[in-house]
Amino acid sequence: HNIPDSTKTFSAENVVIIILESFSREYIGSLNKDLEDGKYEGYTPFLDSLISESLTFEVSLANGKKSIDAMPSVLASVPSLETPYVISHYANNQINGLASLLRKKGYYSIFFHGGPARSMGFDSFARMSGFEHYVGYEDYPAEKEDLDGMWGIWDEPFFNYFADRMDSFPQPFLASIFSLSSHHPFIVPDKYKDKFKKGPAPILEVVGYTDYALRGFFKKIEDKDWFRNTLFVITADHTNESVHKEYQNDFGYYSVPVVLYKQGSDLRGIKDRIAQQIDIMPTVLNYLNYDEEYIAFGNDLLDDSYESFAFNTNCLLYTSDAADEEDS
């Protein structure tokens, strides 16, 4: 139960939250400077350059293992506990999400995802958590070459579409986008064959493609009038295939980036703190000096007055053959 500091003045800055499909922390060179005897470069050159001007955390973890877990954790500070929230018995309960809380302060809110509208319940949770508008596959003026033939719209054209639409958003705004392309079968558009660095896991080439799409997105918006008044939060929904033994454990299975970027701000460096997805909402609200009460399961990552922590639920799935085995 968060009670605001009434001595602070609310700052109506724009907020953009970017959720990257399957972007394990392991794939990001700047967050793994000790890997491979200090020679590891990773697969995200643009994200590395952005992190050098951002605030990130010594440890940063997802609260679930599936895309369906991520939206409640990131956008409403509600973790996944065995059953994803959006398909649990509590899915129709009233909750306070970042969008509904900021709406009280006059924010416009919109969520983008390049897949079909009902994909994994993204559209329903966006509405449930207070987003005014949802933009998906059906809303995109798609050219044939923009479609990946499997999940929806390639990340590069969809990020460009997101950037184009942002100029029309009334300020202040909360806008979020969930990327798509770094997903099985892990292919890139034909025109980019052999452009991105490959590695020992198929996903790594596609991570390079999405990083390239992210570069194009920031290049397209960096000269906009509203850019300097916008806080960007970048994270991932969950991890994917691991290629280093350092990440092949319970810790590594949940390690994703949590990055805060605002041009010209003092949000810089790698903070010696444990961050988790459910900390994003209270951290953003504290950064804005939000002046109303709210409920969050996470903590403010900018408040150093207490120790930080993260938690997850690991479940062992059983088949009928294992019915007599003890739980673990």
Side-chain angles (χ1 to χ4, degrees), residues 22 64 68 72 113 125 132 152 183 202 266 276 280-281 288 306:
S22 300
I68 200 172
H113 181 248
F125 185 78
E132 295 175 68
H183 205 297
D266 59 358
Q276 57 186 329
I280 289 172
M281 186 180 91
L288 298 174
Y306 56 87

Side-chain angles (χ1 to χ4, degrees), residues 26-27 36 40 42-43 186 194-208 241-244:
E26 179 182 2
Y27 308 153
E36 299 179 4
Y40 182 64
Y43 300 85
F186 306 124
D194 301 320
K195 177 178 177 62
F196 305 109
K197 181 179 173 183
K198 296 179 174 63
I203 190 176
L204 298 174
E205 180 184 17
V206 192
V207 163
E241 184 176 352
S242 175
V243 297
H244 293 89

Side-chain angles (χ1 to χ4, degrees), residues 156-302:
E156 183 184 26
F158 199 68
F159 269 100
N160 284 336
Y161 177 63
F162 181 46
D164 290 338
R165 289 284 301 269
M166 292 176 84
D167 268 342
S168 66
F169 299 167
Q171 296 185 63
F173 61 76
L174 165 67
S176 182
I177 184 170
F178 201 136
S179 76
L180 184 79
S181 296
S182 42
H183 205 297
H184 182 271
F186 306 124
I187 56 175
V188 299
D190 289 340
K191 65 181 179 179
Y192 291 131
K193 294 294 184 185
D194 301 320
K195 177 178 177 62
F196 305 109
K197 181 179 173 183
K198 296 179 174 63
I203 190 176
L204 298 174
E205 180 184 17
V206 192
V207 163
Y209 166 71
T210 297
D211 181 72
Y212 179 78
L214 199 60
R215 179 191 297 275
F217 167 72
F218 273 89
K219 185 173 179 57
K220 201 164 190 176
I221 63 174
E222 63 185 1
D223 294 326
K224 302 296 184 181
D225 292 339
W226 48 263
F227 184 79
R228 289 185 62 86
N229 192 45
T230 301
L231 172 68
F232 293 86
V233 181
I234 301 173
T235 189
D237 55 348
H238 54 72
T239 62
N240 204 282
E241 184 176 352
S242 175
V243 297
H244 293 89
K245 61 181 176 55
E246 291 88 345
Y247 281 92
Q248 293 169 355
N249 48 52
D250 284 345
F251 171 77
Y253 295 153
Y254 290 94
S255 290
V256 298
V258 174
V259 179
L260 306 178
Y261 169 75
K262 181 170 185 263
Q263 187 184 59
S265 77
D266 59 358
L267 295 172
R268 297 285 183 105
I270 298 180
K271 196 176 180 69
D272 186 15
R273 197 163 176 82
I274 298 169
Q276 57 186 329
Q277 288 171 331
I278 59 173
D279 296 336
I280 289 172
M281 186 180 91
T283 301
V284 169
L285 293 173
N286 175 68
Y287 175 79
L288 298 174
N289 296 325
Y290 189 73
D291 54 6
E292 298 193 34
E293 297 183 25
Y294 66 92
I295 300 294
F297 285 89
N299 296 292
D300 172 16
L301 295 170
L302 304 178

